[in-house]
Amino acid sequence: TYSTHARSGIPCYWEGGVLHNLDAASYAIPSCITFKNGEAYTAGEYLDESSNVQSCYWKGNEMHRLANQGYKSQIACIGVSPSGIVFCAGSNSSSYSGSPFYYKNDIYHNLSTRDLLNPFSNEYEYHSGEVYSLDFIG
């Protein structure tokens, strides 16, 4: 982001030395970027109408709000498949911290590490996790 005398935290990216502003009505922070077929795909977070931090991505400068998970959610990485499917991945926080997830286009998928068997207590327990990157194979 960058700031001017009139507004702070303007979401953007630079391509070479060229500044590209990203569409956002209020607080929004991009955190990752990729290019596919000459188009920039940037992802991050924005503040919704209830002042909750939610996930989003931009194609070019157009914002796409991702499904509200009911928790603070942050995108850590974005990728676009050869066929044009947008994948965003990150972590959200609720009463537990670091619940991993990804979106395939706008559809939410939980990567929760809940219900792992603890070999010492022989009970199922919650374990947090976080997503930092993604890759395409094939």
Side-chain angles (χ1 to χ4, degrees):
T1 62
Y2 72 97
S3 298
T4 67
H5 68 281
R7 182 178 172 200
S8 64
I10 300 168
C12 65
Y13 71 90
W14 286 265
E15 185 176 0
V18 179
L19 173 67
H20 298 272
N21 287 334
L22 299 172
D23 178 42
S26 64
Y27 165 91
I29 298 176
S31 58
C32 52
I33 190 169
T34 191
F35 284 85
K36 186 70 172 180
N37 297 326
E39 187 82 64
Y41 292 81
T42 311
E45 61 188 59
Y46 72 97
L47 203 59
D48 71 11
E49 297 77 19
S50 300
S51 297
N52 295 315
V53 176
Q54 297 297 327
S55 297
C56 65
Y57 74 90
W58 292 265
K59 180 179 178 183
N61 74 340
E62 181 183 351
M63 179 190 271
H64 297 267
R65 295 176 180 211
L66 296 168
N68 183 338
Q69 301 173 28
Y71 308 109
K72 177 181 177 180
S73 64
Q74 300 172 307
I75 299 294
C77 50
I78 187 169
V80 181
S81 74
S83 63
I85 298 171
V86 177
F87 289 87
C88 296
S91 306
N92 64 36
S93 61
S94 61
S95 56
Y96 300 106
S97 64
S99 296
F101 64 86
Y102 75 95
Y103 288 92
K104 181 178 178 183
N105 285 327
D106 296 338
I107 307 298
Y108 173 81
H109 298 273
N110 188 350
L111 292 171
S112 179
T113 55
R114 297 175 197 225
D115 299 328
L116 294 177
L117 181 62
N118 181 331
F120 302 106
S121 67
N122 206 27
E123 295 179 6
Y124 288 92
E125 299 176 352
Y126 173 88
H127 293 274
S128 64
E130 295 183 39
V131 174
Y132 292 105
S133 65
L134 60 84
D135 197 4
F136 294 99
I137 299 173

